[in-house]
Structure formats: structure tokens, C-alpha cells
Amino acid sequence: MNKIIINSDKKEGYISPELHGQFIEFLGNCIYDGIWVGEKSEIPNYNGLRKDVIDALKVLAPPIVRWPGGCYADTYHWKNGIGDRAKRPVVYNENFGTFEIDNNQFGTHEFMDFCDMIGAKPWFGVNVLSGSVNEMKEWIEYCNRSEETELALLRKKNGSERPFQVEYWGIGNEPWCGGGTMTPQMYAIEYRKYVTAMPLCDFHDAKSERRLKKIACGPDGNKPIERVNWTKDFFGEIGKYRYPQIDAYDIHFYNWNIKQRDKSDVIFDEESWYNVIDSCTEIETVIKEQYQIIQKEIKKFSKTEDICMRDEFQCDLIVGEWGNWHGSSFEKRPALYQQSTIRDAITSALTLDIFHKNCNYVKMACVAQTVNVLNSLILTEEGNTILTPNYDVFLMYKVHRGGQKINIVSNELDDTLYIFASEKNSRIYVNVVNTDLKNNKIIDFEFMQNVKVEKVDILKSDCMTAINTVNEPNRIRKSEGEIPLKEDGLFKYQAKAASISVICFEIIK
Ligand code: AHR
């Protein structure tokens, strides 16, 4: 007997749309082939950007996209990626086994075109390891200055009259590993220098809501001891003396399925089904734990003696990279290529629901990565584009963006069932994920408001290892589900085995 009571009068937090963000990087075929094919390509494109990928992302409208890395950010020199494409320097990309020539065809302007076309805000990652404070200053100046400075004029010459107004700037990437194998104290020193030097450009109006968002790297979310120590030590160091602005703290967490390199994305048994699904939920522990440490450490910050400085310090927790990482992807060409089954779709849904449930603690998150790498939403194979079941999850869950998390009470619920509900525009959206591989589950929903069912979307698969391919692009695709029937004041819903549903109820006033 599974019963859920839903009360939309009890609002429990705002679901930031940025929780549905994405991440693209110069790695494997994510950007080259996946997003950028070039204007002369036979593959249909908008000014070089792959048309079918752009069209699919337009529908999804990701609120934010993080670029150029990842680890790549700490090797990236932005000036290589501007100006005449035929004259751009050729470099070599070794990022995560990519091992390919990189001719810098996709740079700042191409990324901004990409963001404009799909309706996303950009989040730029600054090169700390092999770049410099000055390189970052010039990049911001180039992107955001409206006055006619030399760099602003260069931007205009390169095709963008108006400044890009890039709001989000991340300082380095994973400094504990590929970003410099630093200690938190070392990174805190770098962070102080970089953010102090950031030009505000058009973001200088103190009264405006908009401000340059300075993002610090957080710990490796997959290391339970190190991640606690890192965050304590980083904020401990920052708090000792005048503290710089940290608008957000970016933790990374991957759902590792890599104990053996042969842990496959597409060949697995029932045991591995449950292992991968169960382990994705650890991110909830990480979020709660990191949020608490940050709050605790901030309270210890030294008080300023400067009467002009405000004492309040506000820092959001964000998850800049998340997704399933299967061992077999290490051996794949292109690098870190993974297919996605309904197992990946389920872990994507559960992860997004963990963000939704913890929307008071976590404000932004980016799936790794959008195309052709790890937990992809889209795969490309020469001229063909495949939408993975993860794409459908993001599409189905779009309704929660900007909504209010609402109160649900479950006295009795199978441990294979996960429920989340939000409200927006007089609609209640209820997510039901049934991770049981074999058994359908009946759930009774009781509402404290008068509601009627409007629609059900469901994503399921006839086989746990099935995938969408060029020959069968729609094998796993969302469809309309069965409408729950109302009996004795309760809505009875049958959640199919291994499925994700979003049930839309209309509130009748
Ligand atoms: O997403 C692949 C890599 O994983 C990123 O480049 C890095 O930040 C992380 O370790």
C-alpha cells in the first residue's frame, strides 16, 4: 500500500530554473562534431552550429551552460578562439584522452551564438592553472565592456557590437586535481587574486539586481573525507581576513560506476541496475553536508573593522558537474563517450529530484555533459543525431523550473518509489519514479486541494539495456501515460516498472 498526501498550500521553496543547467567542454566529440561542424559542413548548420542539436536544445531551453571546461578550462587561452577562423592557432587537446588537434574554431563568439540560439545564460570558466589574472581581466573586458576600449573595439570588429554581458565567472576547475593539485589554502590565495582583479564593466550598478557572479571551486564530491576537509579549510582560509565575494561554491559529483573498467553503460545485470541507481542518491548527503559546513564556517568569519564594508556574506551552493560515469567510457573513442539507457534516465530523474527537494540548499546545477560525453542528452554519429532518454527526462521535468516545491507526506511507501511535487500557475506536477525493474506499483494520491488530472507523461523501456540508435532513434521516448482514476477521493496511479512519470493536476478554485 503506497499512499501520498499532497498539500499545495504548504510551499517549501523556490525551484531555481538554473538547476536544469548543462555543461559543454572541449572533450571527445562534445563540441567538435557534437555542437560545431563548421559553416562548410554538409551537415546542416546555423553558421557552423549543428542544426539538429541546436533545434533539440531550443526545445529544452537550458537556463545556463558552463564552458569551456572542465579540466580544459585550465588549458584554454581565450585569445586563440577569436577573430578570423582561418587564422586561429592550432593546438593539441589531450583532455581526458581526447588526443586530437584543436583548431579553435569554436571560441567566445561561437559559444555566445550557441547560448543565444538556445536561450541559455553563459557561465565562463577561467584558466587559473596555465592562464593569468591579466588573461582573465582581458577576457571580461573583451566580453563585457561597452565603452570603446581597445578590447571592446576588438570584440566589435569580430562581430559583436554589443557586449555579451557574461554574468557568471568560475575561477579555475577542480584545483584539487587537474586544476593544479592544490591544497584548499593554495586555491584560496589564487581565488582572492582573481576575483579582486575582475572588472565589473556594466555590472557596477550597486542598485541593480544583476551583479557579476564570482564562482569558487568546491571539493571533489566523490571523496567523503576530503570533501569535508576541503570545504572547512577553504572557508577557514577565506574567513581569516577580509573576505572576497564568493557568490557560489561549485561542487562536482559523479555517480561512479567505475570499479572495473569493464563496467558498461549498455551491458549490465540486475545487480548493477540497483547498484547504479542506489549510488546516485549519495549526492543528497553531499549537498546537505556541504551546505551545513559552509553555513558553519561563514559564521566564524572575522568581523570587518571597515565601517564601509557589510558583514553579511552570502554564498550559494551549486553542482557544476554531475552524471553517471561508467568505467567503459575510459576506453571509448571519442573520449568518454557513453550511451544512455533507461537506467541513466532514472538516475538523471532522481538526481534532478534531489536538487528540487533540496532547492533551499542548491541553486544551480549542470549535467555533464550535453552532447557525446558521459551522461549525454544528445549523441551524434556523423550526420545523425540521437536524443537519449536523458533528454526526455529534462523535457518532462521542465515544468518544475521556477515552481514552488510543495509539501508531500508519505506514511507508507516502497523503497523503490520516489515522489516529488511542485506547483506553478495553478498546476501541481507530481514526479513518480519507480526503480523496481519488474513490478508495477500502485500509489494512492490524496490532495488537500480540489484537483483534476490534466495529463500524464511517462518514460519507460521494454528492456533495461535498450538504447536509442540511428536505426531506432525513438525506441525509448516519452509518451502519454494512463490517467489515474479517482476512487473514494483518492487518485490511483499505476507506476510501471522501471519508469518515470510526471502527472499534471489542475487546481480547481
Ligand atoms: O566531465 C569530464 C571531466 O570530469 C571534467 O573535465 C572535469 O572537470 C571532471 O573531472
Side-chain angles (χ1 to χ4, degrees):
M1 179 62 183
N2 297 296
K3 188 173 173 195
I4 295 282
I5 302 165
I6 299 186
N7 185 354
S8 80
D9 285 343
K10 289 195 181 165
K11 310 272 190 294
E12 297 182 339
Y14 172 74
I15 300 165
S16 155
E18 284 77 24
L19 289 171
H20 291 204
Q22 299 194 16
F23 169 42
I24 64 166
E25 181 176 14
F26 295 105
L27 197 172
N29 279 9
C30 179
I31 293 181
Y32 295 118
D33 288 353
I35 291 169
W36 178 261
V37 287
E39 283 160 317
K40 295 193 186 121
S41 171
E42 283 173 10
I43 298 172
N45 64 81
Y46 301 114
N47 308 327
L49 295 165
R50 196 176 175 119
K51 181 178 177 301
D52 39 17
V53 169
I54 295 288
D55 290 345
L57 289 174
K58 265 187 194 168
V59 177
L60 221 50
I64 188 143
V65 181
R66 179 171 177 256
W67 171 85
C71 287
Y72 196 86
D74 276 311
T75 67
Y76 186 63
H77 299 287
W78 69 272
K79 281 189 184 165
N80 290 346
I82 55 167
D84 185 349
R85 279 199 282 271
K87 294 188 185 142
R88 293 189 190 174
V90 174
V91 297
Y92 200 75
N93 181 353
E94 294 201 352
N95 192 22
F96 270 96
T98 302
F99 294 113
E100 268 170 21
I101 290 281
D102 177 347
N103 53 14
N104 277 297
Q105 298 299 284
F106 185 93
T108 301
H109 290 258
E110 290 77 14
F111 176 59
M112 289 308 304
D113 277 355
F114 170 72
C115 288
D116 284 350
M117 281 186 203
I118 64 173
K121 286 184 283 188
W123 162 2
F124 279 42
V126 161
N127 181 346
V128 169
L129 183 61
S130 61
S132 67
V133 170
N134 197 48
E135 195 174 339
M136 172 208 68
K137 270 184 79 176
E138 291 189 333
W139 202 6
I140 301 180
E141 179 85 20
Y142 181 86
C143 290
N144 288 357
R145 181 72 67 201
S146 42
E147 293 85 359
E148 298 202 327
T149 61
E150 196 177 322
L151 283 164
L153 288 172
L154 183 60
R155 182 197 65 238
K156 290 184 187 185
K157 183 171 156 249
N158 287 336
S160 186
E161 182 67 30
R162 291 182 33 198
F164 294 131
Q165 308 284 27
V166 179
E167 201 176 340
Y168 296 85
W169 293 88
I171 306 303
N173 179 71
E174 301 187 349
W176 30 266
C177 187
T181 331
M182 296 186 206
T183 63
Q185 290 84 356
M186 285 165 74
Y187 176 64
I189 293 169
E190 293 300 317
Y191 182 83
R192 283 176 177 277
K193 285 193 290 193
Y194 274 78
V195 295
T196 307
M198 275 187 171
L200 292 175
C201 299
D202 288 350
F203 291 81
H204 66 265
D205 181 359
K207 285 189 220 109
S208 152
E209 283 281 289
R210 281 172 1 128
R211 63 187 223 154
L212 220 54
K213 303 274 181 356
K214 303 176 180 184
I215 302 174
C217 297
D220 181 348
N222 290 89
K223 307 273 184 304
I225 301 170
E226 188 184 291
R227 71 182 182 228
V228 168
N229 293 338
W230 179 281
T231 300
K232 280 186 187 163
D233 289 350
F234 174 72
F235 281 96
E237 184 66 29
I238 288 286
K240 278 186 196 155
Y241 295 97
R242 304 171 184 228
Y243 40 85
Q245 183 184 328
I246 308 178
D247 295 285
Y249 186 65
D250 171 20
I251 59 172
H252 293 176
F253 177 89
Y254 283 97
N255 184 28
W256 289 120
N257 179 31
I258 57 166
K259 276 211 178 106
Q260 288 103 35
R261 288 289 160 108
D262 64 353
K263 289 280 180 193
S264 165
D265 47 351
V266 288
I267 305 164
F268 54 86
D269 57 16
E270 203 173 316
E271 190 187 348
S272 176
W273 166 271
Y274 288 109
N275 283 344
V276 169
I277 288 174
D278 290 346
S279 60
C280 89
T281 59
E282 189 193 339
I283 199 169
E284 184 158 21
T285 312
V286 183
I287 289 169
K288 287 183 174 158
E289 163 209 286
Q290 291 291 314
Y291 180 83
Q292 277 163 13
I293 302 173
I294 296 169
Q295 300 317 311
K296 207 168 153 194
E297 291 302 318
I298 289 175
K299 286 206 184 90
K300 296 188 213 156
F301 276 19
S302 62
K303 294 279 171 250
T304 175
E305 292 171 288
D306 184 341
I307 51 164
C308 298
M309 257 183 86
R310 285 172 301 170
D311 257 334
E312 77 257 27
F313 177 91
Q314 218 237 305
C315 170
D316 287 338
L317 182 64
I318 61 183
V319 184
E321 292 179 28
W322 67 269
N324 284 350
W325 192 317
H326 304 293
S328 55
S329 71
F330 286 112
E331 315 291 339
K332 289 276 172 60
R333 299 297 303 164
L336 298 191
Y337 179 89
Q338 276 180 192
Q339 254 289 0
S340 294
T341 62
I342 189 75
R343 180 176 68 166
D344 300 285
I346 284 186
T347 57
S348 294
L350 294 181
T351 307
L352 287 173
D353 275 339
I354 288 170
F355 298 152
H356 297 152
K357 274 187 209 153
N358 293 282
C359 61
N360 293 321
Y361 306 134
V362 63
K363 301 292 172 189
M364 190 154 96
C366 298
V367 63
Q369 303 189 359
T370 309
V371 192
N372 288 336
V373 170
L374 300 175
N375 206 61
S376 315
L377 281 58
I378 302 175
L379 297 172
T380 62
E381 266 182 52
E382 293 170 357
N384 300 295
T385 299
I386 304 153
L387 303 179
T388 71
N390 291 336
Y391 178 89
D392 293 60
V393 172
F394 274 80
L395 199 58
M396 288 161 70
Y397 276 24
K398 215 175 148 184
V399 290
H400 296 289
R401 293 184 198 168
Q404 291 286 340
K405 173 192 167 195
I406 55 174
N407 181 261
I408 57 177
V409 178
S410 53
N411 297 329
E412 304 140 80
L413 197 64
D414 280 9
D415 57 7
T416 59
L417 285 173
Y418 296 82
I419 317 284
F420 173 79
S422 78
E423 194 215 297
K424 193 171 69 181
N425 302 334
S426 302
R427 300 282 184 290
I428 295 174
Y429 300 100
V430 182
N431 297 347
V432 181
V433 182
N434 180 10
T435 65
D436 192 312
L437 244 184
K438 296 192 179 124
N439 302 300
N440 299 343
K441 300 277 164 82
I442 305 280
I443 308 160
D444 286 340
F445 287 102
E446 183 183 343
F447 284 85
M448 294 293 109
Q449 289 70 32
N450 191 14
V451 299
K452 67 171 194 211
V453 188
E454 202 169 73
K455 184 178 177 231
V456 179
D457 277 340
I458 183 163
L459 184 68
K460 57 186 171 50
S461 172
D462 55 359
C463 162
M464 68 175 175
T465 54
I467 50 176
N468 292 338
T469 61
V470 172
N471 292 332
E472 272 186 302
N474 296 318
R475 176 136 183 215
I476 312 158
R477 199 83 300 143
K478 83 175 173 75
S479 58
E480 282 198 15
E482 278 168 36
I483 298 283
L485 295 176
K486 197 169 181 184
E487 279 173 32
D488 303 327
L490 300 176
F491 289 91
K492 267 193 189 313
Y493 184 63
Q494 190 188 55
K496 303 282 184 210
S499 73
I500 302 153
S501 311
V502 179
I503 313 171
C504 171
F505 295 89
E506 185 189 346
I507 302 175
I508 304 156
K509 302 267 180 206

